[in-house]
């Protein structure tokens, strides 16, 4: 499975089911419908955006995150891959905080 960090098991008891995290479904639903409608209307994110993704995660393997976000934004887009998997704040809390502070600084 793609989602297998050691801390994931601690979140399951709170939801009662391993396919739910913190009580929220782990699937795309209405979000995809909203995304399609926004794209069809030509809507783009207007604020500055800083994108982070895990260099060892599925996003890095399957996508070009910067290209995807640049296509969806009017505002400036910065970002980079961090040396971790999908769960960035859990894996690299200090690095994540540093990135957020630098972006919002």
């Amino acid at each position: 499975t793609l989602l297998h960090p050691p801390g994931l098991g601690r979140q399951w008891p709170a939801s009662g089911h391993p396919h739910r995290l913190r009580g929220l479904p782990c699937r795309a639903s209405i979000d995809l419908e909203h995304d399609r409608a926004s794209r069809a209307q030509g809507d783009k994110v207007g604020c500055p955006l800083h994108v982070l993704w895990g260099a060892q995660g599925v996003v890095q393997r399957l996508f070009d995150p910067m290209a995807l976000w640049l296509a969806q934004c009017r505002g400036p887009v910065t970002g980079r891959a961090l040396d971790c998997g999908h769960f960035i704040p859990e894996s690299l809390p200090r690095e994540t905080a540093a990135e957020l502070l630098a972006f919002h600084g």
Side-chain angles (χ1 to χ4, degrees):
T1 150
L2 296 173
L3 304 175
H4 53 62
L8 189 59
R10 291 191 300 266
Q11 297 177 17
W12 290 356
S15 68
H17 192 279
H19 293 118
R20 296 172 69 86
L21 300 178
R22 297 190 180 123
L24 299 174
C26 290
R27 68 180 190 281
S29 59
I30 194 70
D31 295 349
L32 293 177
E33 186 177 323
H34 290 166
D35 286 349
R36 285 186 201 104
S38 292
R39 288 183 184 137
Q41 295 174 31
D43 294 342
K44 294 194 179 255
V45 176
C47 64
L49 179 69
H50 189 63
V51 182
L52 299 174
W53 66 94
Q56 300 160 17
V58 67
V59 172
Q60 176 76 20
R61 286 192 305 269
L62 299 179
F63 304 102
D64 180 348
M66 288 301 294
L68 291 171
W69 281 108
L70 284 166
Q72 299 302 317
C73 296
R74 284 191 323 264
V77 179
T78 58
R80 68 185 190 98
L82 297 179
D83 189 22
C84 63
H86 183 75
F87 293 92
I88 299 168
E90 293 86 348
S91 300
L92 299 173
R94 291 180 195 273
E95 292 87 341
T96 303
E99 291 283 336
L100 292 171
L101 289 171
F103 177 66
H104 292 289

